[in-house]
Amino acid sequence: MWTRAELKENAKKFFKFNYWKMVLVAFIMTMIGGGGSGASAGSSQSNSDGIGGAGSADVTEIMAFIVAFLAIFLVVMVIAFALDIFVFEPLKVGGQRFFVVSHYQKAELNELGFAFTHSYMNIVKTMFLKNLYTWLWSLLFIVPGIIKAYEYRMIPYILAENPDIDTKEAFARSKEMMTGNKWDAFVLDLSFLGWILLSVCTCGILAIFWVNPYMYMTDAELYVALKEITYGSSGQNYNNVADGSFTQNGYQQ
């Protein structure tokens, strides 16, 4: 069984072993994973002068502006959506792979591009469905969405080590690994709250150089622990795998 203290201790050990590369990868993952929120603001101006006059011309200009704005907004949203699906999500899988590889050896930055050269479309499809299902469950209220997010939490890691895996199998394995562990994983996340508050106090500097890579590495340690508990361990070694995929007893088909 895993403990928070054990995961964090291992994470700090591997983080120090490959510090600057982990900082860079964590920074990239934070940028592509945390930049999806946008605030829309509208401004209205009331004019009490000149109620009559060129009213119809003003309305026409306003309508034309609104149509143009909506068209541009739609194009931007489509581009952003496509970038997220076809670029950012595969990069996230590569980032997760980087941190898992770091458990076994000193990972290199080229792990970030892993998804683009290994069953790319299968990874794109599975990650898209993961996000879609999480969003649909969230429509039933926040709690079901959170539960499903934790149930699907291991999917990127599974893809990072088994890019050819069937989508249904990836969901099934993540569910199996997280069964009985969702609450403990939630508490593990909460245990970083103090670090997050300290990061805010340092205007994000602490987050870049310590907290974010520390959290990513701890999450990778959680995956490794759950994988070994669920499927067993057989002396993993990435250097011995020519195609970059992970093998162990009964885990990769």
Side-chain angles (χ1 to χ4, degrees):
M1 190 59 189
W2 60 275
T3 64
R4 294 193 302 277
E6 181 182 6
L7 296 186
K8 289 185 171 184
E9 188 62 32
N10 287 341
K12 285 186 282 190
K13 176 178 66 176
F14 296 125
F15 179 25
K16 293 175 181 177
F17 179 67
N18 202 11
Y19 178 80
W20 286 109
K21 289 179 182 177
M22 284 198 185
V23 168
L24 178 58
V25 172
F27 179 76
I28 293 172
M29 291 182 66
T30 302
M31 290 297 99
I32 65 177
S37 62
S40 60
S43 62
S44 61
Q45 182 175 355
S46 176
N47 215 334
S48 59
D49 298 329
I51 298 178
S56 61
D58 291 342
V59 170
T60 302
E61 291 177 1
I62 292 173
M63 291 301 297
F65 173 79
I66 292 174
V67 170
F69 174 80
L70 290 176
I72 294 172
F73 178 77
L74 180 61
V75 170
V76 171
M77 290 299 296
V78 169
I79 293 174
F81 189 62
L83 279 174
D84 183 64
I85 294 174
F86 295 106
V87 179
F88 296 157
E89 292 300 321
L91 274 175
K92 290 176 188 176
V93 172
Q96 309 288 33
R97 178 179 172 84
F98 172 89
F99 284 100
V100 174
V101 171
S102 296
H103 175 86
Y104 302 104
Q105 66 188 49
K106 192 171 184 178
E108 300 299 331
L109 294 177
N110 59 11
E111 299 291 354
L112 271 173
F114 174 82
F116 297 99
T117 57
H118 295 78
S119 300
Y120 171 71
M121 288 309 300
N122 185 59
I123 290 174
V124 167
K125 178 186 72 172
T126 305
M127 290 297 289
F128 171 75
L129 290 176
K130 168 188 173 292
N131 294 331
L132 176 63
Y133 293 161
T134 303
W135 177 73
L136 291 175
W137 277 101
S138 298
L139 295 179
L140 298 176
F141 298 113
I142 300 238
V143 172
I146 293 175
I147 293 173
K148 284 299 176 180
Y150 276 91
E151 182 178 305
Y152 302 154
R153 181 166 176 156
M154 296 298 128
I155 289 177
Y157 293 104
I158 293 170
L159 288 171
E161 296 191 319
N162 300 271
D164 297 324
I165 192 171
D166 179 73
T167 298
K168 290 183 179 179
E169 182 67 15
F171 276 85
R173 291 185 181 185
S174 180
K175 180 179 180 180
E176 182 179 10
M177 292 169 70
M178 291 302 296
T179 297
N181 290 291
K182 288 188 281 292
W183 174 255
D184 290 331
F186 176 70
V187 174
L188 174 64
D189 291 340
L190 287 181
S191 69
F192 287 101
L193 186 58
W195 282 111
I196 294 172
L197 292 176
L198 283 175
S199 297
V200 173
C201 294
T202 61
C203 299
I205 295 176
L206 185 63
I208 293 173
F209 293 103
W210 178 260
V211 180
N212 289 341
Y214 177 29
M215 290 173 64
Y216 282 122
M217 191 64 228
T218 302
D219 202 44
E221 286 299 305
L222 173 63
Y223 167 73
V224 172
L226 293 179
K227 179 180 61 179
E228 293 181 355
I229 290 171
T230 308
Y231 299 103
S233 174
S234 60
Q236 305 87 338
N237 189 340
Y238 277 81
N239 285 322
N240 294 335
V241 185
D243 65 354
S245 58
F246 177 82
T247 57
Q248 77 170 40
N249 288 339
Y251 185 65
Q252 179 176 327
Q253 294 178 330

